[in-house]
Amino acid sequence: MYDYVIVGAGSAGCVLAARLSEDPDVSVLLIEAGPSDTKENVHVPAAFGSLFKTDVDWDYSTAPENGCGGRMMYLPRGRTLGGSSSINAMVYIRGAREDYDGWGQTGWTYDDLLPYFIRSEDNERGASNLHGAGGPLSVSDSRSRNPMAHAFVDAAVEAGHPGNEDFNGAGQDGVGFYQVTQRRGMRCSAAVAFLAPVLERPNLTVETHLQVHRIVFEGTRAVGVAGERAGQAIEERAGSEVILSAGAYNSPQLLMLSGVGPAEHLATREIDVLLDQPEVGRNLADHVNCGAIWTTDEPVSLLLGMEPEQQLAFAERGEGPLTSNVAESGGFWRTDESLPAPDIQFHCAPVMFVDEGLGDPTAHGMSFGACLLTPRSRGSVTLRSNDPTAKPWIRHEYLSDPDDVRVMLEGLRMTLEIAGRPALARYCASPFVHPESSSEDDLLAHLRRRASTLYHPTGTCAMGSVVDGELRFLGLDGLRVVDASVMPQITRGNTNAPVIAVAERAADLIRGRAPAAGEAAAEAVA
């Protein structure tokens, strides 16, 4: 028997385990379906693509996406300690004030959450009114700073975009280098930042290789979880709460396997209905991305990381191309100046990022493009069967809304505009994956054929419809959801930092320490 059983050792789960176990009188169990984060390439920033479709990846795919030519699109998700923060591109972006204020949830405005971002952060630039120093999560400047990533910034400035040295500062607009979740050139995942320093606490237990199959209920109260490890059935009990932190795909899946979800759908999967909650698994949002790839005769791409001297530089000094987070530079842009905040984000990778990261670079080259920050399209997560080992049926419905298509076409036009500027002339010499022309028809064909996920699923257990403002499941007792699924709307930017902030505030809510909405920032970090 534990006080808290947390399902999923991803970004949210690691934060919760660390914060809740600060109280020595509270016992915490953290459960992870995958292995520990000991695989070497988990910690080598530039190597994250080599982790795709391995034992640390759930290796999901969408259902055929009508807006993307009927393709089933690859959806990597972390399946190890640290979750997706152990296989992601490490970009540290909080999002815009308008994101959180737009949630319409008491206690979850930008001003309410800023103290939690600051509390987590150990920014190498030091503390300020917008940044923290001394927190668990290392936030660093890029140690790679590839010349092609620099050239992208210069070309974007030539195209009229202002420079921005801090996308988490006063405003997002503009272009520059991203800060990353790294420590001395190595990945600083949520497991490295929050979990590793507290593993020796006697009141914290971490179980790996244990896949939870369902939540155990007594009446309408969650009292534990049931799962399996290596063919052996295991049940763990929770005296206070079960906390789902399994992510925007797996949290709704576990709820539905437990009889909580759309009654009609559960009936088709021969699952007894405990609670008819039709919003479980709905409201799925993601950032769709599309760009182009060029090759160059300049031998400066991240392929240099394969050379022995660069591997030595990484091993001995934490320097060189292996420290690259791949998406080194980029920025934020409004396709319409009347918008309250950006609706497009650029990511520039100084390497050929081929076939959704699954293909091999064939030459020195670079990749960059635009992703949609404010999608109107919404998808869903449902069950393929009542077998808990079956992968969920994920329909993102990418580009199903005409406005999403319009904005993405503007993003592609700006991508080509930046590529054509003098600063990138020698690096964008030869198109490799590229629209046939800049005509509307060719851009649209390229978008349908080449669009992919930017790995940011959210919204499937949203606040206000599935959980309340304290992330307690509506209609049930002893059950909370704390992960990206609770976001009513997706944030503008990479979602790892927002998930960590959500979990930081959730930990205070669970412990009864959260300040009332609108109270001074100092009280939240006291």
Side-chain angles (χ1 to χ4, degrees), residues 262-271 273:
E264 184 175 351
H265 173 62
L266 298 183
T268 66
R269 298 297 183 261
E270 299 181 303
I271 295 174
V273 177

Side-chain angles (χ1 to χ4, degrees), residues 413-438:
R413 290 188 183 97
M414 182 52 69
T415 297
L416 300 182
E417 167 74 10
I418 294 171
R421 291 291 169 166
L424 278 172
R426 58 179 173 164
Y427 299 126
C428 294
S430 302
F432 183 78
V433 172
H434 195 278
E436 292 294 325
S437 76
S438 58

Side-chain angles (χ1 to χ4, degrees), residues 376-388:
R376 296 188 180 186
S377 303
R378 290 292 183 271
S380 63
V381 176
T382 54
L383 299 178
R384 293 176 187 263
S385 77
N386 59 14
D387 184 335

Side-chain angles (χ1 to χ4, degrees), residues 235-254:
E235 185 169 312
E236 302 286 4
R237 306 286 284 191
S240 293
E241 292 186 9
V242 173
I243 305 171
L244 290 187
S245 296
Y249 300 142
N250 288 7
S251 283
Q253 180 193 26
L254 279 171

Side-chain angles (χ1 to χ4, degrees), residues 45-62:
F48 72 82
S50 69
L51 302 170
F52 291 173
K53 292 186 176 287
T54 68
D55 62 336
V56 298
D57 177 13
W58 283 98
D59 188 14
Y60 289 152
S61 297
T62 68

Side-chain angles (χ1 to χ4, degrees), residues 303-360:
L303 291 180
L304 294 176
M306 300 173 64
E307 297 182 356
E309 61 268 28
Q310 298 295 349
Q311 295 180 10
L312 189 64
F314 176 75
E316 291 187 347
R317 301 185 299 278
E319 297 176 353
L322 289 177
T323 68
S324 175
N325 70 311
V326 181
E328 291 189 17
S329 62
F332 295 84
W333 176 55
R334 308 182 197 205
T335 61
D336 184 335
E337 286 301 316
S338 67
L339 293 172
D343 57 345
I344 285 289
Q345 182 180 4
F346 296 105
H347 294 82
C348 174
V351 69
M352 297 175 67
F353 197 76
V354 183
D355 296 332
E356 301 176 274
L358 298 174
D360 290 327

